[in-house]
Amino acid sequence: MEITTITALVAAVSGVVLGWVTRTSAFKKDVAQEAGNGASLRTDVEYIKRGVDDMRLEQRAQGQRFDLLSERVTRIEESAKQYHKRLDRFEENRRGDL
């Protein structure tokens, strides 16, 4: 065999080996980057889920406060109605005494 043929074969084999090594290295880097992105995405989703849970709890508490306030307003309206009835009777009695 001639030296040029041997050199060509060595160059071809080394090109294939270097290409394979580079491809494998790039693949490993891509896998590592995707794993990091996936972990970041999971962290973000967990953060959003906690925020939604907090909002649900706050909404439930707001609903309970609204219900209590509605009950108080109803009681105050009933009390005011009774007070006005008593006041009207008082005024009628005063007019009758004059």
Side-chain angles (χ1 to χ4, degrees), residues 40-58:
S40 176
L41 184 61
R42 277 191 295 273
T43 302
D44 291 344
V45 169
E46 287 297 320
Y47 177 74
I48 291 169
K49 285 170 58 177
R50 279 184 302 218
V52 169
D53 290 343
D54 290 345
M55 288 188 317
R56 284 183 182 158
L57 290 173
E58 181 61 29

Side-chain angles (χ1 to χ4, degrees), residues 2-66:
E2 290 184 31
I3 195 145
T4 55
T5 308
I6 294 174
T7 305
L9 285 174
V10 169
V13 169
S14 67
V16 168
V17 169
L18 285 174
W20 184 261
V21 168
T22 303
R23 181 179 173 273
T24 304
S25 175
F27 179 74
K28 287 180 182 179
K29 286 180 183 176
D30 288 344
V31 168
Q33 184 177 7
E34 286 182 25
N37 291 342
S40 176
L41 184 61
R42 277 191 295 273
T43 302
D44 291 344
V45 169
E46 287 297 320
Y47 177 74
I48 291 169
K49 285 170 58 177
R50 279 184 302 218
V52 169
D53 290 343
D54 290 345
M55 288 188 317
R56 284 183 182 158
L57 290 173
E58 181 61 29
Q59 185 179 13
R60 186 173 295 130
Q62 285 285 48
Q64 291 172 348
R65 286 190 290 261
F66 181 78

Side-chain angles (χ1 to χ4, degrees), residues 82-93:
Q82 291 173 358
Y83 173 76
H84 283 289
K85 286 181 183 179
R86 287 193 306 260
L87 186 60
D88 290 341
R89 279 186 297 196
F90 178 74
E91 287 177 354
E92 288 175 9
N93 286 341

